[in-house]
Amino acid sequence: MRQAADAGQGDLIFLDESGFAPTMPTGYTWSRIGQRVVVPREDTRNRRVNVLGAQVVGSAPDLVWQHTSGKIDAGVLLEFVCVRLAGLGGGAAVLDLAADGLGADVMPVWERRKPCTVVLDNASAHVAKAFKGRRRQLAKIGVELFYLPPYSPELNDIELVWRQAKYQDYPQRAQTSTEAIGAAVDRAMRRQRERIRQATPNFTQTA
């Protein structure tokens, strides 16, 4: 799949979710000798921001994401895949028509410009019937789902994005509102996206 993506034959997309709390863990800090470090802390109850992200690898690397203060369930996931990854304008609401047309033997009325494979783990939203049950229709419009073996996060490339976004690009460890968390998340993810987009041109220039 990576070879096909590198050759431009299709997109390989790593998808996952992550959460950002009002107070993020502080890995390290510094202070002047004799001065006590004070790290701000915010109440974390019901103020978490959840982020759904997709990293595109291959000849045109990219990063797509959206965040919400609510739960990322199968419905939210399906809408994200239909709109943000498949480019289906009407979203999940028109998936039946887009995939199946007017009958079982009718070709899909819409297909993704370039076929893609979405790599994901076995989280509850990913395997729920409301999402996985639409696997055949997604395949018809050019979106194949590829499930990783259980307990293998090291096989999902976007795990590195989450780690860098949280610990390298999220310098203010405490936020006072969900809106502030969302803004901080967007800043961190934009930095990650720029690095991802520049990776291939920089590698080509070096070669």
Side-chain angles (χ1 to χ4, degrees):
M1 289 187 291
R2 286 185 183 275
Q3 290 176 345
D6 289 338
Q9 298 171 5
D11 290 329
L12 180 60
I13 304 175
F14 292 88
L15 181 146
D16 197 17
E17 304 86 27
S18 190
F20 290 73
T23 301
M24 299 291 286
T26 301
Y28 64 91
T29 187
W30 65 272
S31 68
R32 296 183 183 279
I33 296 176
Q35 291 185 358
R36 188 174 184 178
V37 176
V38 177
V39 179
R41 185 182 185 281
E42 292 290 326
D43 185 6
T44 61
R45 288 176 297 180
N46 301 319
R47 298 169 63 195
R48 176 185 174 99
V49 168
N50 295 309
V51 187
L52 182 54
Q55 181 183 358
V56 183
V57 303
S59 59
D62 205 352
L63 182 64
V64 182
W65 73 93
Q66 71 179 42
H67 57 75
T68 176
S69 57
K71 181 181 178 181
I72 296 177
D73 57 17
V76 173
L77 177 62
L78 182 63
E79 191 70 19
F80 178 82
V81 170
C82 287
V83 176
R84 304 298 302 277
L85 303 186
L88 185 59
V94 299
L95 180 58
D96 292 345
L97 177 61
D100 299 330
L102 301 176
D105 299 325
V106 178
M107 294 292 291
V109 298
W110 189 91
E111 284 186 276
R112 193 176 190 270
R113 181 182 58 83
K114 184 188 294 185
C116 71
T117 299
V118 177
V119 179
L120 64 171
D121 61 23
N122 293 273
S124 57
H126 301 172
V127 298
K129 184 178 180 181
F131 178 73
K132 195 172 183 179
R134 311 299 287 275
R135 191 175 187 176
R136 180 189 61 82
Q137 291 177 318
L138 289 171
K140 278 191 171 185
I141 65 170
V143 181
E144 292 280 353
L145 302 182
F146 180 86
Y147 286 88
L148 294 170
Y151 311 110
S152 55
E154 72 281 359
L155 298 179
N156 196 331
D157 283 18
I158 201 172
E159 292 291 347
L160 179 60
V161 170
W162 297 135
R163 186 158 63 249
Q164 292 178 337
K166 287 184 175 183
Y167 293 100
Q168 296 182 22
D169 296 321
Y170 202 88
Q172 186 173 330
R173 308 307 289 169
Q175 307 291 340
T176 57
S177 66
T178 54
E179 291 78 11
I181 299 171
V185 166
D186 284 338
R187 287 193 296 271
M189 296 298 279
R190 281 195 294 268
R191 293 187 185 107
Q192 287 295 308
R193 182 178 60 193
E194 287 306 309
R195 293 192 188 104
I196 289 170
R197 286 178 172 178
Q198 293 171 7
T200 297
N202 288 344
F203 178 80
T204 303
Q205 291 169 9
T206 301

